[in-house]
Amino acid sequence: MTAKTLLSTHDLKARYGDFQALYGVDLDIAEGEVVALIGANGAGKSTLLKSIMGLIRVGADMVRLDGRPVGGSKPHQMVADGVAIVPEGRRLFAGMSVLDNLRVAVDHAAPGRGDAWTIERIHALFPILKEKQAVPVQSLSGGQQQMVAIGRALLNQPRLLLCDEISLGLAPKVVKEIYQSIPSISANGTAIVLVEQDVGLAKSASDRLYCMLEGRMTLTGRSAELSREAIGEAYFGASHAVA
Amino acid sequence: MQWLDGLVQGVLLGGLYAQYALGMALMFGVMRVVNITHGDLMILLALVGISLASTFSLGPWSVLVVLVALGGIIGIILQRLILNRVVGADPLPSLIATFGLSIALQNAMLQVWSADTRSLPSDGLAQASFQLGPLFVGVLPVIVLITATVLTAALAATMQYTRFGRSLRAAAADVEAAAMTGIDPKAVYAGATALAVGILGFAAVFQSMRSTVSPADGAFQLIYAFEAVIIGGMGSIWGAFIGAMVLGISQSIGFRIDPGFGILAGHLVFLTILALRPQGILGKG
Ligand SMILES: Nc1ncnc2c1ncn2[C@@H]1O[C@H](COP(=O)(O)OP(=O)(O)OP(=O)(O)O)[C@@H](O)[C@H]1O
Ligand SMILES: [Mg+2]
């Protein structure tokens, strides 16, 4: 790995009130890299992304961007620093048009990043969004809404894009269409963290892979080199792997 | 004739009510924050304006400029100190916090200005009128209506077409998602509350030129503003304007049926619309 580390977490711990969800998680991602993050329901994948994004309070040194401590920054500061998220459940702005949803991201794009992504480019990537631009966003299908969520995050001009289960609940054909957009996103130099339930999809779309279990990292390695058995063990825990 | 006059006077009164209602349309209609001090802040601005006018012998238009700016500053302070702590999907915390503040404000105003009714000298504007066919129409109410229309159009365009308007709509739809898209929700809300209270600067000047104000009057402005926003439809700026017209016309016609029936007629029309079209005239769904 010659590329410079873009973002890293260090012994990241996170809690919801009394409930501890992350027990010291280490992850790093280099510029332009695609990293998959897998794990069973409740493993803490979304919590990890939310902690990076500043939606959950964490210690400053637990998250570093360009080596700089940024843990505990506000979400809007993270966006300004070049981190964007496609959140779990899409979280679009209901009541606003497709185009206005995208414009909000254009309005708040990370400064000094140029405009690699424009609304025209998003329309080229997902042509249906041009056709539907004046439509209230909540009237789109699930797949189309996911495209808006991805487009919105890209228009923040991120150096690092966090994607939380972008395939969830979508028809296989739509999942394929959305995953086909990943190479053109990383071709832009954008690093991507892909949280994914589908292990096969996660493996094939990524350079490296992390697996979480109950708030801890249980496996990491180059996606092409990890065996099914190793992943199964890390995914379900050693005790379950024999079953 | 009497009914035509009632209609025209009602529309003119609606212009004043629209100035109460616009800030409420932003805060209650869009942000879902219940600000019980809405009317009290208008009275506060009016009393400050009256005192400024007499102390520094300022004309009403100079007072207007000062009050709009002062309203903006009060709005930012209100949002930063109180409302940011209670903002969220549930309107109850903001209701309770501002209810307490409303009572404190009324008592403070009574201490400073006593319970006397006061008004702002209008350089004779409040008495001027002109003849429109068979009707006599006041110059000041016409200015109030034109101002209200321009303010409504400007605010609606701001919401629809500007970066600030999009940010505010986004934050109102999903505040966490807005933050994840780069919006600083606290800054946007402070801007919106500044705008809402700043608009009350217009209402304060016109209310105290047209009639009188005293420290306990805020409850009327508050309820008219709430009613106008609900009649028009939550979240719609032009809806609040239309709601204010409906209230003004109902009161004015009701007053001509029986002088004691005017205010009540407004409330009855409000309740009827709430029963028949709970989403409001321009509301969706
Ligand atoms: N807002 C919350 N309050 C309290 N506990 C939460 C909250 N969100 C998540 N948790 C808990 O934290 C743990 C990790 O949840 P998280 O959402 O990060 O898992 P995940 O790996 O993203 O799962 P999934 O695949 O279902 O999305 C779970 O036990 C979950 O119940
Ligand atoms: Mg999750």
Side-chain angles (χ1 to χ4, degrees), chain A residues 18-149:
Chain A
D18 285 341
F19 175 76
Q20 184 157 3
L22 298 181
Y23 295 88
V25 171
D26 295 306
L27 172 146
D28 59 85
I29 180 163
E31 285 171 349
E33 196 181 19
V34 181
V35 162
L37 176 60
I38 61 170
N41 287 331
K45 307 178 296 294
S46 298
T47 305
L48 175 54
L49 298 195
K50 286 196 266 180
S51 303
I52 292 171
M53 204 62 212
L55 289 159
I56 297 175
R57 286 256 154 218
V58 295
D61 283 319
M62 291 181 181
V63 184
R64 289 175 172 271
L65 187 66
D66 304 318
R68 228 164 19 94
V70 294
S73 299
K74 297 274 172 52
H76 67 93
Q77 291 164 334
M78 294 306 293
V79 172
D81 278 339
V83 183
I85 187 167
V86 184
E88 191 169 30
R90 307 187 271 266
R91 307 287 292 270
L92 298 178
F93 304 125
M96 296 174 67
S97 70
V98 170
L99 192 57
D100 275 355
N101 266 266
L102 298 178
R103 278 185 181 141
V104 169
V106 176
D107 291 338
H108 297 88
R113 296 265 306 139
D115 47 5
W117 289 100
T118 57
I119 289 181
E120 289 70 41
R121 271 200 76 190
I122 300 299
H123 285 165
L125 193 62
F126 303 120
I128 187 73
L129 298 190
K130 180 166 191 181
E131 210 173 294
K132 301 266 185 184
Q133 57 182 329
V135 168
V137 77
Q138 67 274 20
S139 64
L140 298 188
S141 73
Q144 293 164 355
Q145 290 191 15
Q146 196 59 266
M147 293 170 190
V148 178

Side-chain angles (χ1 to χ4, degrees), chain B residues 18-82:
Chain B
Q19 296 188 8
Y20 306 159
L22 283 180
M24 185 66 88
L26 264 189
M27 296 194 64
F28 180 54
V30 178
M31 291 157 65
R32 304 290 160 121
V33 167
V34 176
N35 175 19
I36 300 291
T37 64
H38 189 79
D40 306 305
L41 289 176
M42 198 217 86
I43 300 295
L44 175 67
L45 288 171
L47 291 171
V48 169
I50 291 165
S51 293
L52 283 177
S54 67
T55 312
F56 301 103
S57 44
L58 295 180
W61 307 122
S62 314
V63 171
L64 177 69
V65 173
V66 174
L67 291 190
V68 170
L70 180 63
I73 293 165
I74 291 175
I76 290 174
I77 295 172
L78 178 69
Q79 186 67 37
R80 293 272 170 189
L81 288 189
I82 295 168

